[in-house]
Amino acid sequence: MIPQHQLGALSPWLEVWGSGDGSWRPTVKATAAGCTPLGTAETSPGLTGCPAVSLGPALRRSEPGGKRLAVSCHARSMLRGPAAVWAALGPLLWACGLALRGGMLYPRESPSRERKELNGLWSFRADFSENRRQGFEQQWYRTPLRESGPTLDMPVPSSFNDVGQDRQLRSFVGWVWYEREATLPQRWTQDLGTRVVLRIGSAHYYAIVWVNGVHVAEHEGGHLPFEADISKLVQSGPLASCRITIAINNTLTPHTLPPGTILYQTDTSKYPKGYFVQNINFDFFNYAGLHRPVLLYTTPTTYIDDITVSTSVDQDTGLVDYQIFVEGGEHFQLEVRLLDEEGKVVAQGTGGRGQLQVPNAHLWWPYLMHEHPAYLYSLEVRLTAQTAAGSVSDFYTLPVGIRTVAVTEHQFLINGKPFYFHGVNKHEDADIRGKGFDWPLLVKDFNLLRWLGANAFRTSHYPYAEEVMQLCDRYGIVVIDESPGVGIVLVESYSNVSLQHHLEVMEELVRRDKNHPAVVMWSVANEPTSFLKPAGYYFKTLIAHTKALDPSRPVTFVTNSNYEADLGVPYVDVICVNSYYSWYHDYGHMEVIQLQLATQFENWYKTYQKPIIQSEYGADTIAGFHQDPPLMFSEEYQKGLLEQYHLVLDQKRKEYVVGELIWNFADFMTNQSPQRVMGNKKGIFTRQRQPKGAAFLLRERYWKLANETRYPWSAVKLQCLENSPFTL
């Protein structure tokens, strides 16, 4: 949470790019190479100077072809009352998903598919020119980057900010350039029946991509993948390699997600000429770069483009509804098999759409809710197509968890049973690598989550890497999947331009994560100024759009507004509330927490009769600081504050509170300010993943909650052991 006094300077003089008349119309996102119309010269460094070229709607993939997102609800016979009504709507909406442009299946190797990761050292240069546009003016993408000036070695994936010793680079705002030569297998360049795709896991925040100097893709927004079919470029001659150039701009405007503003300081007696700073209204460091893996992968020219799976349960039979989309051909057959964890075929079908029935199905249960959590089947899809060159096959395997989700007035149900979220909020954040994906760090975090007894987390405040979602599926960690809608503070950020981009981001998020059983709810935003007049229409539209994309999951956003003033909460399914009693106000007075927290819950529930999650609470703590009686920033104060919250949570979870998520899992970096000492210190672990005293307190609580809420399918009881957090 950001305290109100840290909300940054407002800049009413900022110009709005797009339809300034308030009308609802699409805006062009694909532009001429080097032209990125996100603002004016006064608002967005290096983002102006070229005329926009109308190339159609938002460019998400380089090849055309719209798709339908298959949707259905999960629960049927297991539910009663309002939950059953919710569940019954799903099958009726099966064909009502909004059109999305192309699939975004995770690149997996198979007998018909190969992948080549491009992780490692890339050539890198930041454009420090005054207008940040020298790279476009000199066309750095046309020749190897080293020929236009000096370069740095930059690891990918990583943020560029903390890798070097250059203070200017750490806080750089504008265009940076990455380049990598990729050696290609001979069969990729010579076999015209092979499709070669370049995939970027994420680029913060606006990216333009060239291959061998040819523009192939653009993408607005970080945190989500995009890709381009580069087959024609690499198969046009005797090539053994290709040169990939990616220009990335991390500038935030009132209409990006997250939003931000550029403040120019014009007093030359205090600041150099052209001096500006990026203002943000969120409390984490604005890391930038290629944060996720970059890779090449192949498919046949007729290929499985997308798969959508929805599951439900009828008595003991699991039902798996599927839809499969094919690109590149019209004459093909599809075979579908569902395999259990032992590799045994339990159901099979044919065609692009159908339902698989699994008698005595193993359900996907959250961690600590069942003695066999996180059971995953494998959906094997085989495509056989007839082409001019002969028969072609494509294979793709998708992990599938059979589970249901529903919400009542006072419960959150998974597989028809009440589920209580006891978990954390996280950040993709660590020393040196910033937000860069790192397998050892990820596995460490999941080991800590299981040691802690946590069964859930929220992807605060943006979508996490796809590999994170995959581990959640494997380990049974439930996810509230959040968009980058954080820092929505200015009135300008509720414009039609902003709303359209937010709708597109939700489309991309749902398209990427729709098949993950661990994802049980979408969160469209965190702590917006939802009391402002435009917020009502904005969130009504945004939430309705998300529900249309995926009727099978509840939708929320996380609020810190007053219950009487919030204009967005009427449209959510679950109320998520952030509060920091005796931290950001009533400093040091823990005696007021119980009264204020109980009042908070009672007011929200009386007004809306919806289940509530305490989505953030906590206190900054410097590891090793001790004071008794407790004082702020000591480990004793953090523990004492948590204990006061827990007393009220234990009362209200018997009624309508369905979860508690501590802020935060680990300390993380923020912008520099007098209120932040080397970042936010509300973690129960340090940034280096070492426990503070509160971690042990929370571990004891979460294991107690797990034992209380576990369903007695067996006599086995969970125990919190010193060396193992698993079932005995």
Side-chain angles (χ1 to χ4, degrees), residues 368-389:
L368 301 181
M369 196 174 176
H370 190 274
E371 59 187 328
H372 299 297
Y375 193 95
L376 291 175
Y377 292 89
S378 296
L379 185 74
E380 291 187 352
V381 179
R382 176 174 181 170
L383 163 72
T384 304
Q386 301 302 321
T387 69

Side-chain angles (χ1 to χ4, degrees), residues 356-602:
L356 304 178
Q357 298 187 8
V358 186
N360 301 311
H362 298 282
L363 301 187
W364 187 96
W365 289 98
Y367 175 53
L368 301 181
M369 196 174 176
H370 190 274
E371 59 187 328
H372 299 297
Y375 193 95
L376 291 175
Y377 292 89
S378 296
L379 185 74
E380 291 187 352
V381 179
R382 176 174 181 170
L383 163 72
T384 304
Q386 301 302 321
T387 69
S391 180
V392 172
S393 295
D394 189 22
F395 303 84
Y396 191 87
T397 300
L398 179 75
V400 172
I402 299 175
R403 64 104 179 94
T404 68
V405 171
V407 174
T408 72
E409 286 187 1
H410 62 280
Q411 290 180 319
F412 194 101
L413 304 176
I414 295 180
N415 299 331
K417 302 294 184 181
F419 175 75
Y420 188 79
F421 297 78
H422 47 88
V424 303
N425 295 274
K426 291 183 90 277
H427 266 299
E428 290 186 318
D429 175 276
D431 290 331
I432 303 174
R433 58 189 64 77
K435 290 192 180 301
F437 176 79
D438 181 72
W439 271 114
L441 178 69
L442 179 59
V443 173
K444 176 66 173 179
D445 281 0
F446 271 84
N447 285 334
L448 288 175
L449 286 171
R450 296 194 293 173
W451 172 87
L452 191 65
N455 64 4
F457 67 77
R458 174 169 63 120
T459 66
S460 46
H461 299 297
Y462 39 80
Y464 291 178
E466 294 161 281
E467 292 81 359
V468 177
M469 299 294 103
Q470 292 165 12
L471 284 191
C472 289
D473 291 342
R474 288 181 59 182
Y475 293 144
I477 303 298
V478 168
V479 177
I480 300 173
D481 205 350
E482 189 160 274
S483 84
V486 58
I488 303 176
V489 172
L490 302 177
V491 173
E492 297 97 310
S493 296
Y494 290 98
S495 70
N496 284 339
V497 175
S498 298
L499 178 56
Q500 179 186 325
H501 178 49
H502 206 152
L503 296 175
E504 292 168 353
V505 169
M506 291 311 301
E507 289 180 15
E508 292 187 23
L509 177 58
V510 172
R511 175 176 60 180
R512 192 196 75 166
D513 290 348
K514 61 188 174 181
N515 293 322
H516 288 289
V519 175
V520 300
M521 184 158 59
W522 306 110
S523 171
V524 299
N526 176 76
E527 294 186 353
T529 49
S530 48
F531 52 86
L532 294 179
K533 187 175 180 180
Y537 174 76
Y538 187 97
F539 284 105
K540 178 181 180 181
T541 305
L542 182 60
I543 291 171
H545 182 72
T546 306
K547 286 175 176 284
L549 292 167
D550 178 15
S552 73
R553 292 177 175 90
V555 180
T556 189
F557 73 89
V558 177
T559 184
N560 64 344
S561 296
N562 181 275
Y563 76 99
E564 292 180 306
D566 197 307
L567 301 177
V569 164
Y571 307 107
V572 305
D573 299 303
V574 177
I575 298 172
C576 292
V577 183
N578 295 349
S579 58
Y580 289 86
Y581 300 121
S582 84
W583 188 258
Y584 288 123
H585 48 79
D586 297 308
Y587 319 128
H589 293 285
M590 288 191 287
E591 65 273 12
V592 305
I593 292 176
Q594 290 189 50
L595 175 60
Q596 293 181 1
L597 183 60
T599 301
Q600 165 197 281
F601 287 141
E602 290 159 7

Side-chain angles (χ1 to χ4, degrees), residues 21-257:
D21 58 0
S23 62
W24 176 269
R25 63 172 182 257
T27 53
V28 175
K29 296 292 174 63
T31 61
C35 307
T36 316
L38 292 179
T40 69
E42 290 187 318
T43 64
S44 305
L47 292 178
T48 61
C50 297
V53 178
S54 178
L55 297 177
L59 180 64
R60 298 190 191 93
R61 292 168 62 92
S62 60
E63 70 273 26
K67 292 288 170 286
R68 302 294 297 180
L69 171 59
V71 289
S72 81
C73 201
H74 289 291
R76 291 181 183 170
S77 63
M78 302 178 72
L79 309 177
R80 300 292 184 267
V85 174
W86 171 309
L89 289 175
L92 300 178
L93 295 169
W94 171 258
C96 296
L98 299 185
L100 298 182
R101 180 168 300 213
M104 196 56 65
L105 292 174
Y106 184 78
R108 300 179 187 277
E109 291 187 315
S110 75
S112 60
R113 297 179 176 224
E114 298 175 277
R115 55 180 280 168
K116 178 182 178 67
E117 294 199 2
L118 302 180
N119 299 340
L121 292 182
W122 287 53
S123 296
F124 174 89
R125 182 186 301 143
D127 187 343
F128 283 104
S129 63
E130 186 174 344
N131 67 359
R132 298 295 198 260
R133 298 202 65 257
Q134 186 178 26
F136 296 107
E137 293 165 355
Q138 298 181 358
Q139 299 183 334
W140 289 352
Y141 52 87
R142 288 199 176 276
T143 59
L145 198 57
R146 65 180 181 275
E147 295 183 8
S148 55
T151 61
L152 301 175
D153 287 336
M154 185 60 64
V156 173
S158 77
S159 303
F160 63 73
N161 309 80
D162 289 346
V163 172
Q165 296 301 111
D166 188 341
R167 183 174 61 182
Q168 282 185 295
L169 186 58
R170 186 179 190 276
S171 56
F172 180 80
V173 178
W175 289 100
V176 298
W177 294 72
Y178 287 81
E179 183 186 270
R180 167 76 184 262
E181 286 277 344
T183 301
L184 302 175
Q186 191 176 61
R187 60 187 173 278
W188 291 18
T189 61
Q190 296 183 0
D191 181 2
L192 298 183
T194 296
R195 174 174 166 266
V196 182
V197 182
L198 171 64
R199 180 187 176 99
I200 292 93
S202 73
H204 285 52
Y205 284 93
Y206 196 99
I208 306 176
V209 185
W210 298 264
V211 173
N212 295 333
V214 178
H215 176 277
V216 297
E218 297 187 24
H219 185 261
E220 180 180 356
H223 312 289
L224 291 166
F226 61 101
E227 56 188 34
D229 185 337
I230 63 170
S231 306
K232 292 182 180 179
L233 288 174
V234 301
Q235 295 170 352
S236 60
L239 295 175
S241 65
C242 65
R243 178 171 48 85
I244 300 166
T245 308
I246 306 176
I248 304 173
N249 195 305
N250 63 343
T251 306
L252 300 178
T253 76
H255 310 298
T256 56
L257 279 183

